[in-house]
């Protein structure tokens, strides 16, 4: 009973204190140890990891969360050198993103500085996902728990990165992986992460890393990234709203996002197999505490009510069977129990298409490169 009471109190606090969170965590640099600028001109404050927005106000089990942060900081110190060596051969390089060439010092995390207008737009973007008249299209695959699979503990995919312009105010389009409590419950719990083009949320049309969580289907709880209490930033180099400096072109470059959401005690977001971006404390959730009942992979496009033309999805093109001209996900995997690298049981895979958005060519190549993969997307305008 005490746990239920604490959880309810926290849910109420999420939105009643959001304004305080935003003002204290973003609009000023008074908690900043260092101010950084990116190649795109975004300004970030290197904020003490214990003074970031999520931890600025009361929340359940804050002391346990701080202990988790302390353990993660120690891991950072131990693997920093090893990661720098490996990073020479992967997509993210700090010197190609930060003007200071190295990101924030250990013990601090990058928090993007936003104007009051940007803060309000971010809040409006979160609230808009719950309106019944809006349309959310999904194209991709999903798997449900079964008698053999009681729950999922991780979801992983490598996703090609693309960019495009959306067709109306408030629209967004993303490519993401999802953990969800149930497939048809109206008050489902969900964590999602991937890349997104969302001008209202970010104030530009760049392709960015993003995350979102909710405990009631987006009706009253949850938000994007660290706009409200929830996501705890850990990495010193890669912020949760990271703008990708290089984007794929069909038939030419294949720049990719390798992403994983896995459950240890809390839910962690792993980027490019090396960067532990941060985590969602398990105390945010009820149904997801023992793992998820559904994992989803694919594209999601949002069209506000009353708009005639929907945004593109993927790269705005769909050719079934051609991953070189169509956005795709490869090395799709899920975790069950302690096993984090299971390729999908094809008998469990469900495919999804919506209006003018399509999914296709799903299969397992068993070749250590493509493995389980599929294509998805569409031009929109539906």
């Amino acid at each position: 009973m005490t746990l239920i009471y604490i959880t309810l109190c926290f849910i109420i606090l999420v939105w009643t204190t959001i304004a305080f969170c935003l003002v204290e965590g973003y609009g000023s640099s008074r908690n900043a140890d260092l101010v950084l600028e990116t190649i795109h001109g975004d300004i970030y404050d290197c904020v003490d990891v214990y003074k970031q927005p999520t931890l600025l106000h009361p929340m359940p089990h804050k002391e346990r969360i701080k202990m988790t942060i302390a353990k993660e900081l120690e891991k950072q110190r131990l693997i920093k050198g090893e990661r720098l060596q490996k990073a020479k051969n992967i997509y993210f390089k700090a010197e190609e993103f930060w003007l200071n060439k190295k990101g924030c010092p250990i013990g601090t995390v990058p928090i993007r500085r936003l104007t009051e207008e940007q803060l309000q737009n971010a809040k409006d973007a979160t609230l808009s996902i719950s309106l019944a008249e809006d349309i959310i299209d999904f194209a991709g695959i999903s798997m449900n728990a079964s008698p053999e699979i009681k729950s999922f503990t991780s979801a992983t995919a490598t996703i090609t990165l693309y960019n495009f312009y959306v067709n109306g105010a408030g629209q967004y389009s993303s490519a993401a992986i999802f953990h969800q409590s149930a497939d048809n419950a109206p008050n489902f719990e969900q964590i999602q992460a991937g890349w997104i083009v969302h001008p209202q949320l970010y104030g530009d049309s760049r392709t960015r890393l993003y995350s979102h969580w909710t405990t009631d289907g987006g009706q009253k709880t949850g938000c994007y990234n660290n706009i409200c209490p929830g996501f705890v930033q850990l990495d010193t180099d890669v912020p949760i709203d990271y703008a990708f400096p290089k984007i794929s072109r069909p038939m030419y470059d294949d720049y990719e996002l390798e992403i994983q959401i896995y459950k240890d005690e809390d839910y962690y977001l792993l980027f490019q197999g090396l960067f532990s971006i941060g985590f969602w404390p398990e105390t945010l959730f009820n149904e997801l505490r023992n793992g998820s009942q559904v994992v989803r992979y694919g594209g999601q496009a949002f069209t506000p009510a009353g708009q005639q033309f929907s945004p593109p999805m993927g790269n705005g093109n769909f050719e079934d069977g051609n991953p070189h001209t169509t956005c795709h996900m490869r090395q799709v995997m899920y975790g069950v129990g302690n096993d984090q690298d299971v390729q999908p049981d094809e008998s469990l895979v469900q495919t999804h298409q919506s209006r003018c958005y399509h999914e296709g060519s799903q299969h397992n190549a068993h070749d250590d490169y493509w493995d389980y993969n599929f294509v998805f997307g569409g031009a929109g305008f539906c």
Side-chain angles (χ1 to χ4, degrees):
M1 192 69 186
T2 301
L3 179 59
I4 295 174
Y5 175 75
I6 292 173
T7 302
L8 287 173
C9 289
F10 174 67
I11 290 173
I12 293 171
L13 277 170
V14 166
W15 284 113
T16 58
T17 62
I18 189 170
F20 172 77
C21 173
L22 296 177
V23 172
E24 291 294 302
Y26 290 92
S28 72
S29 59
R30 67 180 183 177
N31 290 329
D33 293 337
L34 184 67
V35 178
L36 300 183
E37 186 175 355
T38 74
I39 60 170
H40 303 298
D42 294 334
I43 303 298
Y44 283 80
D45 293 319
C46 292
V47 176
D48 185 304
V49 67
Y50 297 106
K51 296 178 182 177
Q52 61 182 290
T54 285
L55 300 176
L56 283 178
H57 31 192
M59 64 185 303
H61 307 288
K62 184 186 285 190
E63 291 308 311
R64 187 193 71 77
I65 294 170
K66 289 183 175 180
M67 290 177 63
T68 300
I69 292 173
K71 292 177 183 177
E72 292 298 325
L73 289 179
E74 185 59 30
K75 286 182 186 178
Q76 280 187 3
R77 293 185 179 94
L78 292 173
I79 68 171
K80 192 76 172 181
E82 178 184 353
R83 194 174 81 173
L84 287 172
Q85 184 64 33
K86 290 182 178 179
K88 293 179 180 179
N89 300 313
I90 67 168
Y91 175 55
F92 176 81
K93 296 180 181 179
E95 62 267 26
E96 294 180 354
F97 182 69
W98 299 107
L99 293 187
N100 78 341
K101 309 295 185 183
K102 56 187 178 181
C104 290
I106 289 179
T108 68
V109 291
I111 302 295
R112 189 177 175 211
R113 190 185 298 182
L114 303 177
T115 65
E116 289 186 12
E117 180 181 359
Q118 289 173 321
L119 293 175
Q120 185 60 50
N121 286 340
K123 181 180 177 181
D124 292 344
T126 291
L127 293 173
S128 69
I129 68 171
S130 63
L131 299 178
E133 299 83 4
D134 298 331
I135 300 174
I136 300 179
D137 292 290
F138 176 75
I141 65 171
S142 69
M143 285 158 280
N144 292 348
S146 65
E148 294 76 27
I149 300 176
K150 303 298 182 184
S151 63
F152 300 98
T153 52
S154 76
T156 307
T158 298
I159 316 168
T160 43
L161 288 161
Y162 284 104
N163 184 257
F164 42 74
Y165 288 100
V166 300
N167 296 317
Q171 292 185 359
Y172 72 74
S173 188
S174 64
I177 57 177
F178 303 74
H179 279 283
Q180 193 168 304
S181 59
D183 211 11
N184 52 10
N187 294 327
F188 61 84
E189 297 184 353
Q190 186 189 82
I191 304 170
Q192 58 179 282
W195 63 256
I196 194 169
V197 177
H198 196 329
Q200 181 182 13
L201 178 63
Y202 295 111
D204 58 45
S205 294
R206 296 188 181 100
T207 301
R208 291 180 181 264
L209 182 67
Y210 89 101
S211 71
H212 186 274
W213 68 273
T214 180
T215 59
D216 60 1
Q219 297 180 51
K220 294 182 180 179
T221 67
C223 63
Y224 287 101
N225 304 333
N226 47 17
I227 296 298
C228 72
F231 184 79
V232 179
Q233 175 80 31
L234 289 175
D235 198 81
T236 61
D237 297 341
V238 183
I240 188 57
D241 44 15
Y242 170 67
F244 294 96
K246 297 178 181 177
I247 301 299
S248 299
R249 294 181 299 162
M251 296 300 294
Y252 290 95
D253 307 313
D254 268 345
Y255 293 108
E256 298 179 311
L257 165 63
E258 180 186 339
I259 194 166
Q260 181 183 58
I261 303 172
Y262 71 92
K263 187 180 189 306
D264 189 347
E265 184 172 2
D266 305 301
Y267 279 90
Y268 285 80
L269 178 61
L270 193 67
F271 170 86
Q272 303 302 88
L274 289 172
F275 302 84
S276 183
I277 305 299
F279 66 95
W280 299 267
E282 71 163 5
T283 51
L284 291 174
F285 308 103
N286 291 307
E287 298 297 324
L288 287 180
R289 288 194 179 195
N290 296 315
S292 61
Q293 294 298 297
V294 183
V295 286
R296 290 200 288 146
Y297 310 76
Q300 184 164 279
F302 175 79
T303 309
Q307 291 193 9
Q308 185 176 1
F309 300 120
S310 60
M313 178 190 290
N315 66 0
N317 179 59
F318 182 82
E319 284 189 63
D320 196 356
N322 192 341
H324 301 293
T325 58
T326 309
C327 191
H328 61 269
M329 293 193 186
R330 64 181 181 86
Q331 292 191 336
V332 173
M333 294 180 285
Y334 58 75
V336 178
N338 294 323
D339 195 341
Q340 304 288 347
D341 298 305
V342 178
Q343 296 185 27
D345 180 338
E346 296 183 57
S347 67
L348 298 178
V349 174
Q350 301 177 41
T351 61
H352 304 269
Q353 303 190 74
S354 181
R355 299 199 300 165
C356 57
Y357 306 108
H358 309 285
E359 180 278 339
S361 191
Q362 68 280 350
H363 70 290
N364 197 331
H366 298 287
D367 62 356
D368 294 328
Y369 179 79
W370 291 102
D371 286 334
Y372 196 93
N373 66 96
F374 65 95
V375 296
F376 63 95
F381 291 93
C382 52

